[in-house]
Amino acid sequence: MAIFAVHYAYGPMKAARRDEHRPLHREWLGEEFRAGNVLTCGPYPDGSGALIMIRAESLDGAEAFLANDPFIAHAAVDGVRVVEWTQVFGPFDS
């Protein structure tokens, strides 16, 4: 399986929507982390967005996986960028 870097962009207009859905978003992330699909995740300190590292078979698979995130399902994110990433050194098993 490939590793994908998922960048969420946050803007002020959807802050209340994110606040409303954050508990379910974090629950989903935790479940997927325990299942091995989410490798690591967290928000950027400046509030501009977040990074989620995931495993998926393909870009289409990564996008389908992300459709289950409550932030995506409830349109709480202003932008999403998904790119395949190659680990050279690091903690994630190949």
Side-chain angles (χ1 to χ4, degrees), residues 14-29:
K14 295 184 179 180
R17 191 174 301 174
R18 282 190 301 281
D19 290 345
E20 176 184 353
H21 297 289
R22 184 169 288 110
L24 286 176
H25 166 71
R26 292 219 172 141
E27 181 180 328
W28 177 80
L29 286 170

Side-chain angles (χ1 to χ4, degrees), residues 9-10 14 20 25 41 53 57 60 63 69 74 83 86-88 93-94:
Y10 298 160
K14 295 184 179 180
E20 176 184 353
H25 166 71
C41 59
M53 300 294 289
E57 292 291 335
D60 287 341
E63 291 172 344
D69 180 352
H74 295 282
V83 292
T86 302
Q87 174 179 262
V88 175
D93 294 330
S94 300

Side-chain angles (χ1 to χ4, degrees), residues 78-92:
D78 291 291
V80 179
R81 180 172 179 246
V82 182
V83 292
E84 188 170 351
W85 178 76
T86 302
Q87 174 179 262
V88 175
F89 299 103
F92 308 125

